[in-house]
Amino acid sequence: MRIELEKRANPSTLYSILSPFLALGLTVIAGGIMFALLGKSPVAALYSFFIEPLLDVWSLHEIAIKAAPLILIGVGLSVCYRSNNWNIGAEGQFIAGAIAGSIVPVVFHEWHSPLVLPLMLICGMIGGALYAAVPAFLKAHMNTNEILTSLMLVYIAQLFLDWLVRGPWRSPDAYNFPVTRDFAPEAILPELIASGRANLGFAFAIIAAVALWIMMRYTLKGFEITVLGQSERAGRFAGFSSKRMIWFSMLLSGALAGLAGISEVSGTIGKLQPIISPGYGFTAIIVAFLGRLNPLGIIAAGLFLALTYVGGEAVQLTLSVSDKVTRVFQGLLLFFVLSCDTLIQYKIRLVFSRLGRTSEGGAH
């Protein structure tokens, strides 16, 4: 006996729309079971995880802070994925943008000017784009698998950041701790409002999402992305270049990841240190798919995944559970999103082989 997937002739439009909500519901049910197995009250745990952070102003600011990089990276990845270019290394591009943008406040720390922050943001975007250019070049000109190359570059970026803050960029005033100098006030991203820590990074994320939604829906470039993603052969007949699309999608994705990186360092941390991300680049992959690769949907998905980060911290304090609970929730969510999408598009067939004869049964 073997299991096969057979494409459905007419996938349900209703189920396709409801798929993210079904995945969220299944994730909550599975999470409740997980807490019960840990000996915790599922109701109390889920309340602390999903409801309690929404009742406090400080927590709402934290959600905005964590949503900003998820949305910025997620909308960039949506362009890649819709064009059939699988950038898995946004975490490395996030770090590369943070490093490139930090050159100004770390190396030229004596320069004080209103131009410091804009220059940092531009350098961050350039750094992320250049880092994404490596897998783009390898795929466009050497037909190398971008999944592997972009992923391997993540570890190089992480190790390079660790070397920088322990070596040439380590602050002389940090008592040998592996951190850079604190950024000067003019290198800090301003807060959105005075009542909390949420900064302009969240505004950048919303602007980027709306701009890319307009591009995808109303411009020729958006049509080109859709056509090449669905059929490269059809795109060639329409006069579109798959190589140019590789460069466009990867550089755009890398630039937005780099902007997210320097915004995180400038707006939240205020300096470089060995770890500047809890895995935003990888979590943004979940955000992109949960948002159906739609920039406006990614805003909602980014806020929800940010809630899991803040909620995970809350259950650690209230129920004394491991910090890995957040990762489990995010992994369950990705599993159920992909599973629901697969079962909407395909049906399961059981194929039985007996004495050289084959009988088939279908599961709908």
Side-chain angles (χ1 to χ4, degrees), residues 67 70-71 286-292 294-307 333:
L70 294 176
I71 295 170
I286 306 175
V287 170
F289 281 105
L290 183 62
R292 315 300 290 169
N294 182 309
L296 297 185
I298 287 170
I299 295 176
L303 289 168
F304 179 81
L305 267 295
L307 175 62
L333 182 56

Side-chain angles (χ1 to χ4, degrees), residues 3-13 15-16 19 230 292 337-350 361-364:
I3 300 175
E4 293 183 351
L5 292 178
E6 179 181 344
K7 191 169 181 63
R8 297 182 187 272
N10 297 299
S12 170
T13 302
Y15 283 143
S16 296
S19 176
Q230 294 179 351
R292 315 300 290 169
V337 166
L338 297 179
S339 298
C340 290
D341 286 348
T342 299
L343 294 178
I344 288 169
Q345 298 294 326
Y346 297 87
K347 59 184 178 181
I348 299 174
R349 285 199 322 163
L350 300 179
H364 302 275

